[in-house]
Amino acid sequence: QVELVESGGGLVQAGGSLRLSCAATILAFEKYSMAWFRQAPGKERDFVAGINWDDQIPSYKDSVKGRFIISRDNAKNTVVLQMNSLKPEDTATYYCAGTPLAYTNPAPREYVYWGQGTQVTVSS
């Protein structure tokens, strides 16, 4: 049974940091591109960052470039999102997602596996 479990969310002041982790029980995890999405109340689910399984190249939403770093450890079946210089507008529920595509895609419909989400709240 495939499962993605996120952890590391919480409440932080603006300018602070959080580290989100996603533990995946996916057969052949190394052949899945992984991504983080976020969804704020009343808004659509939005691509934040992704990392390809094929070439390990990361991609980021423009508003998080230079602040967030995505990484993966195929030996541990984990994906990490290091979030620095957090802003109140980063407040959302963050979801880990996986796709068998060789490259990450910003469209949620391309992802077949999803975690349950972890809340990130940034206070001003």
Side-chain angles (χ1 to χ4, degrees):
Q1 181 175 347
V2 174
E3 190 176 38
L4 302 180
V5 179
E6 302 98 336
S7 61
L11 173 64
V12 65
Q13 287 189 329
S17 298
L18 283 174
R19 184 175 183 270
L20 304 184
S21 293
C22 172
T25 55
I26 300 177
L27 189 65
F29 171 80
E30 66 278 6
K31 292 296 181 68
Y32 280 77
S33 295
M34 301 298 295
W36 288 92
F37 287 78
R38 67 187 182 189
Q39 189 168 20
K43 295 190 176 182
E44 293 186 349
R45 193 165 294 191
D46 215 17
F47 176 85
V48 176
I51 186 163
N52 303 335
W53 74 254
D54 187 40
D55 53 19
Q56 308 279 309
I57 292 177
S59 56
Y60 299 95
K61 176 183 178 69
D62 285 347
S63 62
V64 308
K65 285 181 181 177
R67 300 190 296 124
F68 291 10
I69 301 171
I70 187 171
S71 61
R72 65 188 296 161
D73 185 336
N74 288 341
K76 297 181 178 179
N77 281 23
T78 58
V79 183
V80 170
L81 184 67
Q82 177 66 42
M83 305 187 296
N84 302 317
S85 302
L86 283 161
K87 304 176 180 180
E89 51 263 43
D90 294 319
T91 295
T93 300
Y94 283 69
Y95 298 90
C96 176
T99 175
L101 297 177
Y103 303 99
T104 54
N105 190 297
R109 66 178 180 273
E110 299 294 344
Y111 294 79
V112 296
Y113 300 125
W114 291 87
Q116 82 289 348
T118 185
Q119 178 66 36
V120 170
T121 303
V122 184
S123 63
S124 57

